[in-house]
Amino acid sequence: MAKAERRERSLALYETIAKLKDPEECCRFFEDLCTPVELRSMEQRFDVAVYLQQGLVYLDILERTGASSATISRVRRAMLDNGAGGVMRDVILRSGLDKREAPPVPQETQESTVEEVECSN
């Protein structure tokens, strides 16, 4: 597949995502597109990015998300060093997620998300 053809397909995906009407439709779209493991991984990375922006240290992030230190480090590097022009940081700031108090660590599991949306199947 030529590079130009791959680029067109990538843009089509992102243009489609941008046209989703609400969080529930977005959730259903990603459930159709991704495996549960892929979704949890993306959600975890986003949570890590939010916690980094909130100024939490690695150990607190690891405790709250269950992410490995390698994942936390990769997210940090991607956000600060190799990201797409600070878009993740801008989205977090624009959403006000950088100022939210971090949710408590769940008792039964170490996994948590900043904001959970129930998706109907």
Side-chain angles (χ1 to χ4, degrees), residues 69-107:
S69 59
T71 295
I72 297 167
S73 181
R74 275 194 301 271
V75 171
R76 186 193 145 284
R77 278 193 316 272
M79 281 180 62
L80 300 177
D81 303 333
N82 305 322
V87 173
M88 178 68 75
R89 186 175 22 249
D90 291 347
V91 168
I92 291 168
L93 293 171
R94 188 172 54 235
S95 300
L97 293 171
D98 61 313
K99 294 174 178 46
R100 286 191 182 174
E101 185 176 315
V105 178
Q107 294 296 327

Side-chain angles (χ1 to χ4, degrees), residues 29-121:
F29 176 84
F30 278 99
E31 284 178 342
D32 287 348
L33 185 66
C34 302
T35 67
V37 171
E38 290 168 331
L39 284 172
R40 282 193 304 272
S41 179
M42 287 190 296
E43 291 165 355
Q44 183 185 62
R45 289 179 185 151
F46 182 76
D47 289 347
V48 167
V50 169
Y51 290 138
L52 285 168
Q53 191 64 43
Q54 289 176 349
L56 271 67
V57 296
Y58 278 39
L59 287 176
D60 290 337
I61 296 170
L62 185 144
E63 184 178 284
R64 293 177 187 282
T65 66
S68 69
S69 59
T71 295
I72 297 167
S73 181
R74 275 194 301 271
V75 171
R76 186 193 145 284
R77 278 193 316 272
M79 281 180 62
L80 300 177
D81 303 333
N82 305 322
V87 173
M88 178 68 75
R89 186 175 22 249
D90 291 347
V91 168
I92 291 168
L93 293 171
R94 188 172 54 235
S95 300
L97 293 171
D98 61 313
K99 294 174 178 46
R100 286 191 182 174
E101 185 176 315
V105 178
Q107 294 296 327
E108 301 96 29
T109 179
Q110 294 298 315
E111 294 181 276
S112 67
T113 57
V114 174
E115 185 173 325
E116 294 183 17
V117 174
E118 277 298 317
C119 296
S120 58
N121 291 331

